[in-house]
C-alpha cells in the first residue's frame, strides 16, 4: 500500500483552488453580491461548506448535467444530494407540474393524485397507510410524535453518526465513555440530548438490547445502512435481530429510506425484506418539488386511530399547511409512475456497479489504501483501507484534506460529487460515458497525488 505525501497534497490543493477561481469568475461576482442580502452570503448556511472559495452558481440543469453561471458544463453525480435523483427536470414530471400549477397549487384539500401516490408507496414498501409532508425531516418528526403518542414512551434510539434531517432527537452522539452528548455543531439544542435520545452503533446488537431493555423507548429511527457518514452496511442478520428486539421490548421500528431508496424502487425495505412499523422517505419523490411521506403498518395505523384526538387534529403538532399540496402530489404521481420506475432502477443500479468497478480499478491499480462501497445506485469512496463497520469507524476514517481535494479536482474538470464526503448517485438520465468520465478523472487525481 502506498502513502499520500501530504505536502504534495497541500500544493495540489492550492493549485486547484486557484483553478477554481479562474474557471468561476462570474460565480465569484455573484457570491460577492449575495453577501449584501444573504446571511452567510448563501441561501442556506450549509452551502458555505462546499469546497472552493465560494459555491458554483447554477444557470440551468437538465437530466444528469448542469451548466454554471460561467458556462462550464458538469456531469452531476451529486444530484442535489438525492433531491434530483430523478434527473434534473424530467419532461414527464415537468409537464405534470406545469399542468397542475396552471389549475391550482395548494388548497388544503385532497386531489385525486393523493390516493394514487399512497397506493404506489404501499406497493413499493408493503406498508399500507401513508401521509404526506414537504420534507423528510418533517416525515421523521411527525412519525416520532405518533410513536410517542401510541406507546406512551418518550425516548428515541438512533445510530451513532446518523443523519435524519434537522430532527432534534437525532443530533446525538457518544463520547469516549459511551455517554450520549449533543453532536458537535448542534445549533441551540433545546434540551440535553440524553433526555430524549439513546445512541447505539449500527451492528451493535448487545448495545441495542441494553438501550431497549428499560422499555421506555418509543421508536428506533434507523437508516437501513448509514449513508451520511459514508456508507456503512449492516452485517448479515442485523436487521432481523433489530426487528426481533423491537418487538420483544415494545419499541416501534422506523426505517428512513430517504437515501437508501438507492437500493431499489422500494428501498432496502423491499430489497432486504425488512418489516418496519414505519417508513419515511423524502427528497426523491417529486423530482425536486418538495414532497415527502411517512407510512404506517396496518397494526400501527389501528393504534394511531385509537390514540387520535380528532377534534384537535389541526393543532396537534402534526401538521403543515402546505403538506400534501396539489402540486407536490402531481409531481409525485408523475415521477413515481413514469420516471423512477422499476425498470429505471435496474439501469441505475447497473451504472452504480460500473461506477464501483471504475473506482476499484483506480484504487487497486495504484495500491491505494482506500476503498469503495455501493448501495444500489449510490456509490462512495473513503480514504481508508477497510470498510467501516459502524459510525465511529466511519467518522474516524474521514480525511479532511483528501475529501475536499478530490471533490475540487473533479469539480474543476466538470464532474460534481456530493460535497462533505465523496458520494455519487446515478439517475435515469446518467449514462455509461458519464460514469467512465468520472473514472478517468478520478484516476488522474490519484496519479497526481502519487506524483506519477
Ligand atoms: C436519511 C435522511 N433522512 C432525512 C433527511 C432530511 O431530508 P430533508 O433535509 O429534505 O428534510 C436526510 C437529509 O440528508 C437524510 O439523509
Amino acid at each position: 500500500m502506498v502513502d499520500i505525501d501530504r505536502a504534495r497534497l497541500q500544493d495540489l490543493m492550492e493549485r486547484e483552488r486557484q483553478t477554481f477561481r479562474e474557471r468561476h469568475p462570474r460565480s465569484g461576482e455573484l457570491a460577492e453580491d449575495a453577501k449584501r442580502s444573504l446571511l452567510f452570503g448563501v441561501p442556506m448556511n450549509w452551502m458555505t461548506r462546499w469546497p472552493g472559495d465560494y459555491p458554483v452558481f447554477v444557470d440551468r440543469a437538465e437530466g444528469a448535467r448542469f451548466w454554471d453561471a460561467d458556462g462550464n458544463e458538469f456531469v452531476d453525480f451529486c444530484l442535489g444530494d438525492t433531491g434530483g435523483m430523478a434527473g434534473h427536470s424530467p419532461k414527464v414530471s415537468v409537464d405534470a407540474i406545469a399542468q397542475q400549477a396552471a389549475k391550482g397549487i395548494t388548497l388544503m384539500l385532497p386531489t385525486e393524485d393523493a390516493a394514487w401516490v399512497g397506493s404506489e408507496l404501499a406497493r413499493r414498501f408493503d406498508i399500507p397507510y401513508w401521509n404526506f409532508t414537504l420534507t423528510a425531516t418533517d416525515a421523521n418528526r411527525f412519525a416520532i410524535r405518533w410513536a410517542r403518542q401510541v406507546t406512551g414512551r418518550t425516548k428515541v434510539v438512533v445510530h451513532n453518526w446518523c443523519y435524519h434531517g434537522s430532527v432534534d432527537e437525532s443530533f446525538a452522539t457518544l463520547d469516549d465513555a459511551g455517554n450520549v452528548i449533543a453532536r458537535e455543531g448542534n445549533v441551540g439544542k433545546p434540551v440535553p440530548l440524553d433526555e430524549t435520545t439513546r445512541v447505539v452503533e449500527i451492528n451493535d446488537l448487545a448495545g441495542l438490547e441494553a438501550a431497549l431493555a428499560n422499555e421506555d423507548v418509543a421508536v428506533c429511527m434507523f437508516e437501513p445502512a448509514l449513508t451520511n457518514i459514508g456508507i456503512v452496511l449492516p452485517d448479515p442478520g442485523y436487521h432481523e435481530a433489530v426487528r426481533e428486539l423491537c418487538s420483544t421490548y415494545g419499541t416501534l421500528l422506523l426505517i428512513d429510506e430517504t437515501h437508501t431508496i438507492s437500493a431499489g424502487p422500494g428501498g432496502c425495505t423491499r430489497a432486504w425484506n425488512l418489516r418496519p412499523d414505519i417508513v419515511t422517505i423524502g427528497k426523491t419523490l417529486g423530482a425536486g418539488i418538495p414532497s415527502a411521506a411517512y407510512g404506517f403498518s396496518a397494526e400501527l395505523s389501528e393504534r394511531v386511530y385509537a390514540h387520535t384526538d380528532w377534534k384537535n387534529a389541526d393543532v396537534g403538532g402534526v401538521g403543515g399547511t402546505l403538506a400534501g399540496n396539489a402540486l407536490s402530489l402531481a409531481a409525485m404521481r408523475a415521477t413515481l409512475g413514469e420516471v423512477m420506475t422499476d425498470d429505471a432502477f435496474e439501469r441505475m443500479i447497473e451504472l452504480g456497479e460500473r461506477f464501483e468497478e471504475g473506482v476499484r480499478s483506480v484504487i487497486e491499480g495504484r495500491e491505494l489504501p482506500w476503498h469503495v462501497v455501493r448501495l444500489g445506485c449510490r456509490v462512495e469512496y473513503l480514504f481508508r483501507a477497510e470498510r467501516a463497520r459502524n459510525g465511529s469507524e466511519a467518522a474516524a476514517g474521514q480525511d479532511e484534506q483528501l475529501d475536499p481535494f478530490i471533490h475540487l479536482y473533479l469539480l474543476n474538470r466538470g464532474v460534481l460529487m456530493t460535497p462533505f464526503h465523496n458520494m455519487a448517485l446515478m439517475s435515469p438520465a446518467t449514462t455509461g460515458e458519464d460514469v467512465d468520465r468520472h473514472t478517468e478523472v478520478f484516476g488522474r487525481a490519484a496519479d497526481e497525488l502519487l506524483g506519477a
Side-chain angles (χ1 to χ4, degrees):
M1 292 266 177
V2 292
D3 272 339
I4 299 297
D5 176 342
R6 294 283 155 169
R8 177 186 293 123
L9 170 55
Q10 222 168 348
D11 290 347
L12 287 172
M13 187 63 179
E14 261 325 299
R15 188 194 72 190
E16 291 305 316
R17 288 183 62 186
Q18 179 62 27
T19 306
F20 177 87
R21 288 189 290 269
E22 284 164 13
R23 281 174 57 85
H24 301 100
R26 180 66 188 138
S27 280
E29 284 167 15
L30 292 169
E32 276 311 303
D33 189 41
K35 283 183 190 157
R36 282 194 273 279
S37 60
L38 301 180
L39 191 64
F40 309 114
V42 280
M44 196 62 212
N45 60 350
W46 45 258
M47 290 187 192
T48 55
R49 283 209 61 220
W50 280 94
D53 292 13
Y54 40 84
V56 165
F57 281 63
V58 175
D59 175 35
R60 68 199 160 88
E62 190 186 326
R65 283 171 197 266
F66 75 94
W67 290 262
D68 71 11
D70 288 286
N72 299 304
E73 180 175 335
F74 293 84
V75 176
D76 190 0
F77 290 107
C78 169
L79 295 167
D81 191 23
T82 311
M85 189 174 163
H88 297 297
S89 302
K91 184 166 171 10
V92 230
S93 305
V94 170
D95 288 350
I97 291 161
Q99 274 171 26
Q100 186 60 52
K103 57 180 191 170
I105 293 170
T106 190
L107 301 105
M108 288 178 85
L109 287 167
T111 56
E112 206 178 304
D113 292 334
W116 189 96
V117 177
S119 304
E120 175 61 10
L121 292 174
R123 179 189 77 82
R124 289 181 181 227
F125 294 98
D126 198 19
I127 284 281
Y129 297 111
W130 293 82
N131 260 190
F132 300 105
T133 62
L134 295 183
T135 64
T137 299
D138 270 355
N140 285 328
R141 288 177 48 233
F142 299 159
I144 289 173
R145 276 186 174 260
W146 280 119
R148 286 184 167 135
Q149 176 81 353
V150 304
T151 59
R153 300 176 178 185
T154 57
K155 291 272 198 282
V156 174
V157 168
V158 296
H159 283 140
N160 203 16
W161 294 101
C162 68
Y163 187 76
H164 297 278
S166 43
V167 176
D168 287 333
E169 289 85 347
S170 65
F171 283 103
T173 188
L174 297 171
D175 68 11
D176 290 344
N179 301 309
V180 173
I181 53 167
R183 194 169 158 167
E184 198 181 341
N186 186 356
V187 179
K189 58 178 182 296
V191 292
L193 267 290
D194 60 356
E195 284 184 22
T196 58
T197 310
R198 296 212 179 97
V199 180
V200 297
E201 296 285 3
I202 189 171
N203 292 324
D204 176 8
L205 288 167
L208 179 60
E209 177 146 29
L212 300 183
N214 274 350
E215 304 202 345
D216 57 355
V217 176
V219 61
C220 285
M221 177 168 64
F222 290 161
E223 275 195 290
L226 297 186
T227 63
N228 285 292
I229 188 80
I231 297 172
V232 181
L233 296 171
D235 290 343
Y238 177 68
H239 279 293
E240 288 78 357
V242 167
R243 175 66 270 177
E244 200 67 35
L245 287 172
C246 284
S247 299
T248 303
Y249 293 107
T251 294
L252 295 168
L253 176 59
L254 182 165
I255 290 292
D256 180 346
E257 292 276 17
T258 302
H259 275 187
T260 48
I261 187 67
S262 61
C268 292
T269 297
R270 176 148 132 210
W272 299 346
N273 202 18
L274 307 182
R275 290 176 295 116
D277 303 292
I278 305 169
V279 167
T280 58
I281 179 163
K283 296 201 198 188
T284 47
L285 298 179
I289 294 290
S291 319
Y294 55 97
F296 292 161
S297 68
E299 194 197 336
L300 176 57
S301 302
E302 273 177 33
R303 292 171 72 188
V304 165
Y305 285 138
H307 283 84
T308 291
D309 175 356
W310 301 94
K311 189 164 60 69
N312 290 305
D314 55 333
V315 288
V318 173
T321 319
L322 300 178
N325 69 69
L327 187 68
S328 167
L329 288 162
M332 284 190 268
R333 181 173 186 164
T335 307
L336 289 171
E338 296 184 58
V339 185
M340 299 294 270
T341 57
D342 293 10
D343 286 349
F345 268 97
E346 226 172 87
R347 289 194 304 278
M348 287 148 66
I349 291 171
E350 275 168 24
L351 287 172
E353 289 165 353
R354 181 165 172 162
F355 193 103
E356 179 187 28
E357 260 326 295
V359 172
R360 183 169 293 128
S361 70
V362 169
I363 293 176
E364 289 180 357
R366 291 156 182 83
E367 297 186 357
L368 285 158
W370 304 345
H371 75 273
V372 58
V373 52
R374 182 176 63 83
L375 183 63
C377 63
R378 175 182 297 272
V379 191
E380 167 131 15
Y381 35 90
L382 284 110
F383 304 110
R384 45 175 277 145
E386 303 297 330
R387 269 193 195 179
R389 254 204 81 214
N390 59 40
S392 294
E393 283 184 21
Q398 307 243 300
D399 190 314
E400 286 180 10
Q401 293 173 316
L402 270 175
D403 273 321
F405 168 73
I406 294 282
H407 185 94
L408 201 56
Y409 190 99
L410 290 163
L411 187 155
N412 281 338
R413 287 153 188 81
V415 178
L416 190 79
M417 300 283 281
T418 301
F420 325 143
H421 47 113
N422 288 302
M423 196 201 66
L425 262 184
M426 312 300 135
S427 75
T430 308
T431 65
E433 291 73 50
D434 294 338
V435 169
D436 296 345
R437 167 140 187 80
H438 169 271
T439 307
E440 187 241 322
V441 180
F442 180 62
R444 269 157 56 198
D447 285 342
E448 288 218 51
L449 278 168
L450 296 171

